[in-house]
Amino acid sequence: MMIVPFRWHVAGLLLPACLLLAGCQNASRPHHTSARHSTPASVEDMTSQCRDQVAWRYNTRVGTVTFDAPEAFQRSYEIRGATQRRERFTCTFDDTGKFMSLSMR
């Protein structure tokens, strides 16, 4: 009869300890938000790749393409911009700075 209350008592102590340890483990992980952070590849390389793709797709001169600053977005980077004819686009790069896609927006 004494064993049953003892088990509940031990379980009552272990549960809060486990929850405490689980909370500490999550606290040590970095939180990834949509905040901007430094890019792994140079911004010049990414804008150059994007500029070439945009000039080819929109059939325009390279010098007429303008860009906004790169933004970090869900383990990738995006560079938005426009052509001289005000055609909006977004270039997407992976987390290493490799060109992935060009979308028209």
Side-chain angles (χ1 to χ4, degrees), residues 49-91:
Q49 291 176 36
C50 187
R51 182 175 284 122
D52 293 341
Q53 292 290 326
V54 169
W56 180 79
R57 168 103 38 107
Y58 288 99
N59 195 22
T60 188
R61 289 179 291 144
V62 175
T64 63
V65 180
T66 60
F67 296 101
D68 298 334
E71 295 182 25
F73 181 75
Q74 296 180 353
R75 302 185 89 190
S76 65
Y77 298 95
E78 291 184 347
I79 298 178
R80 292 183 175 88
T83 65
Q84 184 179 14
R85 296 180 294 244
R86 297 184 184 179
E87 298 164 309
R88 301 288 302 166
F89 61 85
T90 302
C91 290

